[in-house]
Amino acid sequence: MLNRLPSLSRVFTKSLEVIGAGLTSALVAFMLGRVERPAPAPSFPAVVHLAPADEEMMRSVRSDQAALLDQMRSDSQARSTQLASVAKLPAPAAVSLPSCAEPLSVV
């Protein structure tokens, strides 16, 4: 039957070639996708259980907070004394431009 219809024979042959190329392409893409896939990320536990704070930890946190508060107070006092000393300085003399300078004209 294929000898009687040569155009049908050519269409059938081309269809088989296209189907074969498509399947080969799909198979190669699948294989490349499997090879290049990175390893899955490690799963982390959903909940982290922490131990309750003991007295020593609470004392340490409170002493750190107190030290930080003292440092902030001393820094703010040092800044206020600096600002007060800067405010007492005489103002700089005004700078005047030479009188020979002419204004620029826009053309």
Side-chain angles (χ1 to χ4, degrees):
M1 176 173 160
L2 292 177
N3 291 337
R4 292 186 210 162
L5 301 170
S7 61
L8 184 61
S9 175
R10 279 186 251 139
V11 169
F12 182 71
T13 304
K14 289 291 182 184
S15 298
L16 284 179
E17 289 177 6
V18 169
I19 290 170
L23 287 175
T24 304
S25 176
L27 182 64
V28 168
F30 176 74
M31 296 304 266
L32 286 176
R34 298 292 290 173
V35 170
E36 294 181 12
R37 181 172 297 168
S43 61
F44 296 104
V47 177
V48 177
H49 296 284
L50 299 175
D54 57 353
E55 277 301 311
E56 182 181 345
M57 180 64 73
M58 294 303 292
R59 270 187 260 121
S60 172
V61 168
R62 286 187 184 121
S63 67
D64 289 347
Q65 287 176 345
L68 182 61
L69 184 61
D70 290 341
Q71 183 181 2
M72 290 174 65
R73 284 181 182 158
S74 65
D75 286 348
S76 67
Q77 288 173 352
R79 285 189 187 133
S80 64
T81 56
Q82 274 183 337
L83 290 176
S85 64
V86 169
K88 293 178 184 177
L89 292 176
V95 177
S96 61
L97 294 175
S99 60
C100 64
E102 296 178 14
L104 296 174
S105 60
V106 178
V107 178

